[in-house]
Amino acid sequence: MQFEVFTLLPEVFPPYLESSILKRAIQRGLIGIHLHNIRDYTHDKHHITDDTPYGGGGGMVIKPEPIFEAVETVLGLASLPSPPTPVPNIPIILLTPQGRVFNQRMAEELTRHERIALLCGRYEGVDERVREHLVTDEISIGDYVLTGGELPALILIDAVARLIPGVLGDPTGAKDDSHSMGLLEYPHYTKPSDFRGWKVPDVLLSGDHAKIEKWRREQALLRTFNKRPDMLEKAELTKEDLKFLKSLGFE
Ligand code: ADE
């Protein structure tokens, strides 16, 4: 899967991409992350990418021309004056606090695409014509405002990339994740079995896989019930699950 990232700050990406599981995924050719500096698509002497907003007010707005040119060039879209035709199957995603709030389902959906374009905003935002005539989707990573879309883009890349087969060392790694089943994940323990008198639950040392599975499912349900009861509304629950949840007081 290829990510085409359009940004004014390409230098913030390599430190993370070159020191995580993603580094190995890139080396093994499972993902490719291509960074495109929007500034490279300016044509004036000072390479200006932003300007003051029409109508006044504070802050600067990223100009439409370099963004359109960068995305059209890299994705091979027909250029202006006719509006670019969206390339089927390549989503052009603007990272913005005004977008749909990102979640695990959206990460799973994005794995279906071979190529994804991510557009990182900065300053007060991007010229509205980018939103209207270039992007195909807008995604927010949560209801708070950051200084730009670079961290959100990295978060999206990380969440999507780890779902691609082979990226995680353990092929079942993403299966039981919190959120992947619509529930929070059960607790994990490793050695020692006794740390400062705090013991690992006996069932995990029992070697009885059926019992361990049951315990893990119940712990996932218990955690979700205690921490994120809202998630239970949408989770796929079996009769057994419902019986257990009722015993906790779930209606
Ligand atoms: N840019 C600034 N804040 C953001 C957010 N919460 N999500 C996505 N992009 C952003």
Side-chain angles (χ1 to χ4, degrees), residues 103-177:
N103 62 29
Q104 192 68 19
R105 291 287 94 72
M106 287 156 74
E108 283 160 10
E109 273 166 33
L110 288 172
T111 61
R112 294 204 211 117
H113 299 276
E114 293 269 295
R115 220 170 159 205
I116 296 176
L118 300 175
L119 177 54
C120 308
R122 289 246 118 214
Y123 315 115
E124 288 303 290
V126 299
D127 187 282
E128 188 63 16
R129 289 161 288 190
V130 168
R131 219 186 268 282
E132 286 174 350
H133 304 295
L134 185 64
V135 306
T136 61
D137 200 357
E138 297 177 38
I139 292 182
S140 163
I141 56 151
D143 290 341
Y144 42 82
V145 181
L146 303 169
T147 53
E150 284 74 15
L151 283 174
L154 275 172
I155 286 170
L156 185 148
I157 291 169
D158 194 296
V160 173
R162 66 190 289 291
L163 297 176
I164 294 169
V167 169
L168 295 182
D170 171 4
T172 63
K175 182 175 76 60
D176 288 343
D177 284 340

Side-chain angles (χ1 to χ4, degrees), residues 8 49-50 60-64 67 120-123 125-127:
L8 285 167
T49 54
D50 58 338
M60 298 293 270
V61 178
I62 307 184
K63 294 163 70 59
I67 295 182
C120 308
R122 289 246 118 214
Y123 315 115
V126 299
D127 187 282

Side-chain angles (χ1 to χ4, degrees), residues 18-36:
E18 287 169 11
S19 52
S20 69
I21 286 178
L22 300 187
K23 177 183 179 180
R24 213 184 38 159
I26 294 167
Q27 284 169 345
R28 292 166 64 203
L30 297 170
I31 57 168
I33 298 166
H34 307 131
L35 302 170
H36 308 285

Side-chain angles (χ1 to χ4, degrees), residues 47 82 94 144 153 167 181 186 209 213 216 231 239 244:
H47 301 290
S82 54
L94 176 65
Y144 42 82
V167 169
M181 318 177 289
Y186 53 79
H209 290 291
E213 278 306 301
R216 286 183 166 163
M231 287 172 63
K239 273 195 190 137
F244 177 73

Side-chain angles (χ1 to χ4, degrees), residues 212-229:
I212 292 171
E213 278 306 301
K214 181 166 184 283
W215 180 86
R216 286 183 166 163
R217 183 75 187 174
E218 289 182 354
Q219 289 295 312
L221 290 163
L222 178 65
R223 287 213 152 172
T224 312
F225 177 70
N226 285 332
K227 299 186 186 188
R228 289 291 305 276

